Amino acid sequence: MNEFDNKPEVGGIAVDRLRTIVERIERLEEERKGLANDIKDIYAEAKSAGFDVPIIRRIIRARKQEPAEVEEQETLFDVYRRALGM
């Protein structure tokens, strides 16, 4: 217990509200870490099943974009590949 535990305000700051906000952020950070580990495990599962993980990542990134944006990027990718003789 510290000197601020029983004080509703310290230096104009609502202590309970600040503590609640900080604790919520800490919980969410822990959840995010857990989710990141879950995602990592799923990518490992995909790799062990023979899938190409970089391609899966590319697909996931593309699914977050608008179709026109994806089409433009694919077109540029093809143009650049051809320009490099690939």
Side-chain angles (χ1 to χ4, degrees):
M1 183 162 274
N2 66 43
E3 65 181 286
F4 302 121
D5 284 343
N6 294 325
K7 296 182 180 180
E9 261 191 44
V10 176
I13 296 173
V15 176
D16 289 339
R17 179 74 172 147
L18 176 60
R19 182 179 293 114
T20 300
I21 289 169
V22 169
E23 289 171 351
R24 286 171 49 208
I25 292 169
E26 289 172 338
R27 270 193 308 277
L28 290 171
E29 290 288 345
E30 282 299 313
E31 287 179 32
R32 179 167 50 184
K33 189 185 337 178
L35 290 172
N37 287 333
D38 291 347
I39 291 169
K40 181 180 173 184
D41 291 345
I42 294 169
Y43 280 121
E45 177 185 339
K47 183 176 181 177
S48 70
F51 293 105
D52 189 312
V53 171
I55 298 300
I56 291 174
R57 288 183 190 278
R58 187 171 171 186
I59 288 170
I60 290 170
R61 195 170 43 252
R63 287 171 54 108
K64 294 176 185 177
Q65 299 172 327
E66 293 296 321
E69 188 178 357
V70 173
E71 184 64 35
E72 179 181 347
Q73 288 178 357
E74 291 294 323
T75 300
L76 280 173
F77 182 75
D78 289 339
V79 168
Y80 289 2
R81 280 187 24 208
R82 278 184 263 137
L84 294 172
M86 298 173 66

